[in-house]
Amino acid sequence: MSDVQYAQLVYDFVRKWFAIIPPLICPATFTIDAPFGRFSPSEDSIFLVDGIKSWIFMELVSPATFIYTYLHSPLSPTTAAAAPPLTLSHPPTFLAALFLVHYLNRAIVSPLRTPSRSKSHIAVPLSAVFFNTVNGSLLGTYLSSPAAHSFLSGAFSRPLFWAGIALWAVGLIGNIAHDEILLNLRRKAKLKPKNDDDDDNNNGKDKSKKQEHYAIPYGGLYRFISYPNYFCEWVEWFGFALAASSPPSFASLVAFLHTATPPWLFFFSEIFLMFPRAWRGHQWYHDRFPDYPKERKAVIPFLL
């Protein structure tokens, strides 16, 4: 078996399991809160890690594995597995640049601009490292593959490609804009003087769970949903998948597993893994704030 045949075997194996696992995990996450952010554990533990540093570490894994596999092009039939042309006039490299722009913001710019972030249980960055390793590797392998080169040949002249890019841009801008609303709430909370008497009146679990940077967000799509940053990220990766690959077949499970490419699997996995957290967070807002807007949905305007 040649190196390319072995790489194809591994790629198909990982790709199919990446399609299966997120929908299997999804139902359980409606009842289990991932222990970070507003659901960070209330008690101190050796398993709690710095929220900002752990976020940067776990998110940098995705662009790192993506760059490695894209440059090594493991499915390329050339014996030297030469890297694809590193120019924006090459459609796969253009899409690779968009992926890296997203993670430049997600892994570096956004967390470094965050004034505070709750601690995370070590299980969160570890599971994220696993997910990002698989996802980054699959996407880098796909975009550098002959299949992607064939599909994207002449992509710049196709309206559907640019429609996908437009959705990606709108989603990225929306994601950043709504994250900025949340960051402003944290900045205001950090500038607000602490009331020592209030701290003294909070003891035990209540004191440790005091979360001053949480408030009701307003503006933009917060008028309609509790998690517009999630919704915008879904729009972003739907656009990316639309530009990068043909949609998978839904005729049967076998057909789906055979035709689902990494860009589409990334989009689907985001929905399966993020929707339960949005739903739980939406309920948390209603429980914490009696005056929380009743008309807001969780993550999809007017629907859910």
Side-chain angles (χ1 to χ4, degrees), residues 118-174:
S118 301
K119 288 187 175 183
S120 296
H121 191 281
I122 189 66
V124 172
L126 289 179
S127 60
V129 165
F130 175 77
F131 176 89
N132 287 331
T133 298
V134 173
N135 186 56
S137 298
L138 284 176
L139 283 167
T141 299
Y142 167 75
L143 282 178
S144 64
S145 71
H149 290 194
S150 175
F151 176 80
L152 292 168
S153 177
F156 289 155
S157 63
R158 296 201 297 261
L160 189 61
F161 176 85
W162 291 111
I165 298 304
L167 285 173
W168 175 88
V170 169
L172 176 67
I173 293 169

Side-chain angles (χ1 to χ4, degrees), residues 251-273:
S252 67
L253 177 60
V254 173
F256 177 81
L257 293 177
H258 181 70
T259 58
T261 57
W264 286 101
L265 293 180
F266 184 23
F267 168 64
F268 293 136
S269 67
E270 288 236 319
I271 294 177
F272 283 123
L273 299 176

Side-chain angles (χ1 to χ4, degrees), residues 227-240:
Y227 282 81
N229 47 344
Y230 284 20
F231 176 74
C232 289
E233 189 165 337
W234 295 351
V235 170
E236 182 184 356
W237 294 120
F238 173 75
F240 185 88

Side-chain angles (χ1 to χ4, degrees), residues 50-284:
D50 182 89
I52 294 178
K53 292 177 182 177
S54 62
W55 180 273
I56 293 173
F57 171 73
M58 71 189 194
E59 293 300 333
L60 280 176
V61 170
S62 191
T65 54
F66 176 86
I67 291 171
Y68 179 84
T69 51
Y70 187 74
L71 293 180
H72 283 75
S73 188
L75 300 184
S76 171
T78 61
T79 55
L86 300 182
T87 170
L88 293 180
S89 62
H90 182 59
T93 300
F94 181 81
L95 289 169
L98 300 188
F99 180 85
L100 295 177
V101 165
H102 170 88
Y103 274 95
L104 173 65
N105 174 71
R106 182 177 178 85
I108 299 176
V109 176
S110 179
L112 291 181
R113 296 182 67 246
T114 301
S116 64
R117 189 184 289 267
S118 301
K119 288 187 175 183
S120 296
H121 191 281
I122 189 66
V124 172
L126 289 179
S127 60
V129 165
F130 175 77
F131 176 89
N132 287 331
T133 298
V134 173
N135 186 56
S137 298
L138 284 176
L139 283 167
T141 299
Y142 167 75
L143 282 178
S144 64
S145 71
H149 290 194
S150 175
F151 176 80
L152 292 168
S153 177
F156 289 155
S157 63
R158 296 201 297 261
L160 189 61
F161 176 85
W162 291 111
I165 298 304
L167 285 173
W168 175 88
V170 169
L172 176 67
I173 293 169
N175 182 268
I176 293 172
H178 291 98
D179 274 348
E180 189 65 20
I181 292 174
L182 296 180
L183 291 180
N184 282 334
L185 291 178
R186 296 184 183 186
R187 293 183 187 112
K188 290 177 183 178
K190 195 169 185 179
L191 292 173
K192 184 179 178 181
K194 292 183 179 180
N195 188 321
D196 293 336
D197 292 337
D198 288 345
D199 286 345
D200 291 339
N201 290 331
N202 284 287
N203 49 55
K205 185 176 179 180
D206 288 337
K207 181 177 180 179
S208 62
K209 281 186 71 65
K210 191 176 182 183
Q211 297 168 312
E212 295 181 89
H213 59 263
Y214 289 113
I216 301 176
Y218 292 96
L221 290 178
Y222 280 110
R223 177 182 177 185
F224 306 106
I225 50 179
S226 297
Y227 282 81
N229 47 344
Y230 284 20
F231 176 74
C232 289
E233 189 165 337
W234 295 351
V235 170
E236 182 184 356
W237 294 120
F238 173 75
F240 185 88
L242 196 65
S245 173
S246 56
S249 170
F250 293 95
S252 67
L253 177 60
V254 173
F256 177 81
L257 293 177
H258 181 70
T259 58
T261 57
W264 286 101
L265 293 180
F266 184 23
F267 168 64
F268 293 136
S269 67
E270 288 236 319
I271 294 177
F272 283 123
L273 299 176
M274 294 168 69
F275 178 73
R277 184 168 179 84
W279 184 263
R280 298 278 292 180
H282 181 65
Q283 300 304 315
W284 179 91

